[in-house]
Amino acid sequence: MKIPRYEQQIGAPSAPQFSQIADVRTNNLSGLADTLEGVYQDKLKEQEESKKTAIFQADTSIKMAMSKAMFDLQERIKNGGSYANAEAEYQKAHDEAIKQFGSAFDVDESGNTKARALAEYQADGLNNILRIRESASSRRRSDAAASANLRNEQLSQQAITATDEEYKTIKQNMISNIASATSATGGNNATGKSQIMKVLQDTNAKRLEIFKQNNANNPAATLAKVESEFKNKNITPDVYVSERGEAMKGMARLAKIQAAYIDLEGNGAVSGPQSDLIMDDVE
């Protein structure tokens, strides 16, 4: 029996080529892993930026609160408000600002950022307190000077019409008041002495004016008073020159009037300038 022979058919399909299939273990999964790693890194960057933003906002808020507290207190002090507890009030506002916003620094697990920030806030707070203290000191000096000036005006007013005996006491009070004000405002001895001399000379000039009015018909007494006051440095050279000139003019006028009266008694009649002098004197 003859065994049949099978010949290959024309156009028969070829066997599948399995060697063409991709190795997912080394290609697709690796690419996916790279993608996930990139997403993870992006998320880390976002978190870091969020932390930095939170820290920046907290830092800005704390510094603004500290500056505002200092500015408000300085304005209050400058405009006449109380300054007795200003430093304690600032310290309270300083601590509350850190307490309110400081927790934002906790996102930094190392704690270094918060430690540096707190050190900076402490230094800034000290500077702010020193500035508030200077404002209070300046206001205190201003208040002391204003009080001293007011008291000097009151004493000077009393001194104008006081007797010589009363004026001795008033004068000592004025000297003591000015010395205390000078010390409170940080002035030195030279400044205090200069201020005392000025106030006393102004007061003595007013007293001299009253004396001159009370002795209008006695220019010689006024001249003697002017000479005595200047000798004792109770009046300025300008006041001395002016008052001395007026006193001497008064004495010259009085001498002419007296001469006119003598002439009138001796001759029985007066005419011309002497007559005018007598009429002015009578009026």
Side-chain angles (χ1 to χ4, degrees):
M1 181 175 178
K2 184 177 181 180
I3 298 174
R5 297 177 61 186
Y6 294 94
E7 297 180 356
Q8 184 177 0
Q9 296 181 7
I10 299 174
S14 301
Q17 302 295 320
F18 290 103
S19 60
Q20 300 295 324
I21 298 175
D23 187 352
V24 296
R25 294 173 300 172
T26 58
N27 292 328
N28 292 349
L29 291 181
S30 176
L32 178 61
D34 290 342
T35 301
L36 293 176
E37 178 66 19
V39 172
Y40 176 70
Q41 293 298 327
D42 289 341
K43 290 296 183 181
L44 286 179
K45 290 180 181 179
E46 290 180 4
Q47 289 180 359
E48 288 299 319
E49 291 299 322
S50 297
K51 291 179 181 179
K52 292 178 181 179
T53 300
I55 291 174
F56 173 78
Q57 291 176 341
D59 180 68
T60 301
S61 298
I62 291 172
K63 289 179 178 178
M64 288 182 63
M66 291 165 56
S67 296
K68 184 178 185 303
M70 179 192 68
F71 177 79
D72 289 347
L73 286 168
Q74 284 185 313
E75 284 296 299
R76 189 183 77 187
I77 294 171
K78 183 174 67 175
N79 294 322
S82 172
Y83 53 85
N85 298 317
E87 292 184 26
E89 290 180 43
Y90 171 79
Q91 187 65 58
K92 180 180 179 181
H94 177 98
D95 294 342
E96 287 181 350
I98 294 176
K99 181 179 179 181
Q100 180 178 0
F101 302 105
S103 59
F105 290 94
D106 293 339
V107 296
D108 178 24
E109 297 178 357
S110 69
N112 294 332
T113 302
K114 186 171 186 178
R116 286 195 299 267
L118 291 177
E120 181 181 356
Y121 300 149
Q122 184 177 8
D124 290 345
L126 179 59
N127 288 331
N128 290 341
I129 285 180
L130 290 176
R131 294 174 66 178
I132 292 171
R133 185 175 299 174
E134 177 57 31
S135 296
S137 297
S138 178
R139 166 72 184 289
R140 191 177 294 110
R141 291 192 297 268
S142 177
D143 288 348
S147 177
N149 290 335
L150 177 61
R151 180 56 178 159
N152 285 337
E153 290 179 5
Q154 295 173 340
L155 292 171
S156 180
Q157 188 71 23
Q158 297 173 13
I160 293 176
T161 56
T163 64
D164 290 343
E165 194 63 29
E166 291 172 340
Y167 180 61
K168 290 180 181 179
T169 302
I170 294 174
K171 180 179 178 180
Q172 290 302 318
N173 289 337
M174 294 175 74
I175 293 174
S176 177
N177 181 61
I178 295 172
S180 298
T182 301
S183 177
T185 55
N188 53 37
N189 290 335
T191 302
K193 289 179 180 179
S194 176
Q195 181 68 11
I196 289 171
M197 180 174 290
K198 183 180 184 304
V199 171
L200 293 180
Q201 286 178 339
D202 289 345
T203 302
N204 288 325
K206 295 175 184 177
R207 283 177 56 80
L208 180 58
E209 188 64 29
I210 295 296
F211 181 88
K212 185 174 65 174
Q213 293 173 8
N214 292 337
N215 293 273
N217 295 325
N218 190 1
T222 299
L223 179 61
K225 181 71 171 177
V226 170
E227 295 289 355
S228 175
E229 291 293 285
F230 182 67
K231 181 179 179 180
N232 294 321
K233 299 181 179 179
N234 291 331
I235 56 176
T236 65
D238 289 342
V239 172
Y240 169 71
V241 171
S242 176
E243 296 297 342
R244 185 176 185 274
E246 286 191 24
M248 294 188 71
K249 287 180 181 179
M251 291 177 64
R253 180 179 177 81
L254 182 60
K256 290 181 180 181
I257 293 174
Q258 290 174 343
Y261 274 113
I262 292 173
D263 190 48
L264 176 63
E265 292 177 357
N267 299 329
V270 178
S271 61
Q274 290 183 338
S275 175
D276 294 338
L277 285 172
I278 292 174
M279 290 304 296
D280 290 342
D281 185 49
V282 172
E283 291 175 358

